[in-house]
Amino acid sequence: MTEKKELIYDCLILGSGPAGFSAAIYAQRGNLKTAILDINMFGGQPSNYLEIENYPGFSSISGYELMEKFEQHADKFKVDKFPMLEIENVNLQKKEIETKDTIFKGKTIIIATGAQAKQLNIEGEAEFKGRGVSYCAICDGAFYKDKTLAVVGGGNSALEEAIYLTKFAKKVYIIHRREGLRADKLVCKRACENNKLEFIMCTIPLKIEGTKTVEKLILKDLNTDTIKELNVDGVFPYIGLKPNTDMFNGQLEQNQNGFIETDVNLQTSVKGVYAAGDVRNTPLRQVITAASDGAICANSAVKYLEAYDDELKNKYPSNII
Ligand code: NAP
């Protein structure tokens, strides 16, 4: 058996969305030898956002373009980049990340793995995935020219993606479980002004039915308990996020929904391990807050390593350390 290669860094960053790239820029600029690792292509969740209009400095920019700029910025500081990794094991106590042929060893780790779409967990959802059930309007919207669609959820994602889908579909229903939307007021206003959109409030989906592809959605009106059928060709659930923490579960403190708990320096319950962006327990999940988290984490990592160096200097003669 061939030995795995070892790569040693001051700061290992897991995840390459706005939190990861911001952390990488701050860490490398803070003189830490830094690597950014991802199991996917770089860019994270925002790469799929059609338009971002609340990231200061850019009144309107596609998520893909903004994330390209983040990456180019990290390149300027010569951050080492490892996309599309098959990670076999993460040991946060030892600060090691293991792939098939490499062991990445870090003095600090910043977790910026983000979050992914939550499932409805109703009958028919898994069965029709890719045959009428989709979690990505950008990827699949064009397949639904002149069709009728349902989007589930009342947040920014649901409304923005529903508006996008009206470019193709002849009608898009937004199914939301209560009165009052969660999305930003401006997005709500745009949705209300779009005459291809129709809201069905206080209603939840119970079942997705069809033969080869999706044909109908079975709904329950929560005010009247009435069950009704809605003929649709596709269902797009946008009901929030689930943190990408499978590889660390059980190794650090998480809340009841799995989001990572951090202190004021964004340190997790493991010393020298930090969490930034959507993966942590935070009141706001935006590109700007993720980027801000990344900067705080990198700064905390710099301070942690400075203190560590001081400890060593006190312990050993200064001509050795
Ligand atoms: P979200 O804001 O958490 O909204 C999830 C929506 O789904 C809520 O309306 C929620 O209803 C509903 N929901 C949750 N579980 C449900 C279930 N089991 N059945 C039916 N409905 C359910 O999630 P998001 O829209 O994905 O957004 C996530 C974060 O990304 C947010 O912070 C958002 O602002 C941000 N984001 C930003 C942009 C942008 O800046 N361009 C774009 C997209 C998203 P309740 O309202 O009743 O809880």
Side-chain angles (χ1 to χ4, degrees):
M1 208 173 72
T2 50
E3 286 267 302
K4 291 194 184 196
K5 150 175 91 181
E6 282 188 3
L7 295 176
I8 301 171
Y9 286 92
D10 296 321
C11 184
L12 287 175
I13 298 166
L14 267 168
S16 64
F21 271 121
S22 158
I25 292 163
Y26 273 76
Q28 187 81 21
R29 239 184 131 249
N31 216 15
L32 303 191
K33 189 183 176 210
T34 302
I36 184 162
L37 283 56
D38 204 311
I39 58 168
N40 296 310
M41 299 289 283
F42 285 149
Q45 181 102 332
S47 293
N48 298 319
Y49 294 170
L50 295 167
E51 189 188 7
I52 293 173
E53 53 179 22
N54 53 6
Y55 189 77
F58 297 92
S59 57
S60 171
I61 186 165
S62 80
Y64 185 81
E65 207 186 331
L66 183 61
M67 292 321 301
E68 256 188 348
K69 287 184 187 294
F70 271 60
E71 186 174 348
Q72 286 158 4
H73 196 157
D75 287 344
K76 184 183 152 192
F77 294 109
K78 308 217 175 334
V79 172
D80 283 355
K81 301 189 297 182
F82 300 90
M84 304 297 290
L85 287 178
E86 272 183 46
I87 293 177
E88 288 180 346
N89 190 40
V90 176
N91 185 327
L92 294 179
Q93 284 296 342
K94 288 169 86 177
K95 301 191 178 50
E96 286 183 4
I97 297 163
E98 205 172 330
T99 66
K100 200 171 153 216
D101 51 14
T102 309
I103 302 176
F104 292 90
K105 294 189 168 191
K107 292 179 186 163
T108 59
I109 289 187
I110 296 175
I111 299 172
T113 46
Q116 58 178 290
K118 265 195 332 200
Q119 318 254 309
L120 289 165
N121 287 325
I122 58 171
E123 210 182 314
E125 185 181 23
E127 185 188 341
F128 289 105
K129 191 172 169 193
R131 293 188 294 131
V133 173
S134 168
Y135 304 87
C136 180
I138 284 194
C139 323
D140 299 329
F143 296 127
Y144 294 95
K145 197 162 175 358
D146 297 325
K147 303 280 186 195
T148 302
L149 299 174
V151 168
V152 185
N156 277 332
S157 298
L159 267 63
E160 285 183 3
E161 304 303 322
I163 292 168
Y164 175 75
L165 289 169
T166 62
K167 286 177 194 256
F168 311 99
K170 64 175 180 215
K171 174 108 197 158
V172 180
Y173 294 99
I174 296 180
I175 321 283
H176 184 38
R177 63 183 177 184
R178 63 182 172 92
E179 296 287 357
L181 295 162
R182 181 176 292 276
D184 297 344
K185 292 274 175 293
L186 188 66
V187 181
C188 294
K189 187 171 168 278
R190 276 190 203 137
C192 291
E193 283 167 357
N194 187 315
N195 57 19
K196 280 190 180 177
L197 286 181
E198 184 177 331
F199 287 93
I200 303 180
M201 307 300 264
C202 300
T203 297
I204 51 164
L206 292 181
K207 193 176 171 190
I208 298 166
E209 287 185 350
T211 44
K212 280 188 180 150
T213 57
V214 168
E215 286 166 11
K216 62 176 90 144
L217 193 53
I218 310 299
L219 300 172
K220 182 179 178 184
D221 182 320
L222 296 175
N223 285 334
T224 59
D225 276 347
T226 338
I227 308 292
K228 56 185 179 194
E229 290 184 4
L230 188 69
N231 290 331
V232 291
D233 304 293
V235 180
F236 287 75
Y238 280 104
I239 59 162
L241 301 170
K242 160 180 167 306
N244 294 322
T245 52
D246 286 355
M247 50 188 140
F248 335 105
N249 283 342
Q251 296 190 52
L252 36 60
E253 223 174 277
Q254 291 164 265
N255 74 3
Q256 76 274 19
N257 297 318
F259 291 96
I260 298 172
E261 298 288 7
T262 50
D263 67 12
V264 70
N265 298 312
L266 303 193
Q267 183 168 253
T268 68
S269 54
V270 181
K271 238 177 143 188
V273 176
Y274 306 86
D278 288 7
V279 75
R280 79 176 185 95
N281 185 10
T282 172
L284 187 61
R285 293 193 169 84
Q286 298 282 300
V287 175
I288 184 144
T289 48
S292 154
D293 278 7
I296 295 172
C297 282
N299 187 50
S300 300
V302 169
K303 294 219 166 100
Y304 172 83
L305 289 178
E306 276 170 7
Y308 179 77
D309 283 350
D310 286 347
E311 213 175 283
L312 289 181
K313 275 182 194 142
N314 290 337
K315 229 166 157 183
Y316 302 101
S318 57
N319 61 334
I320 294 181
I321 304 287

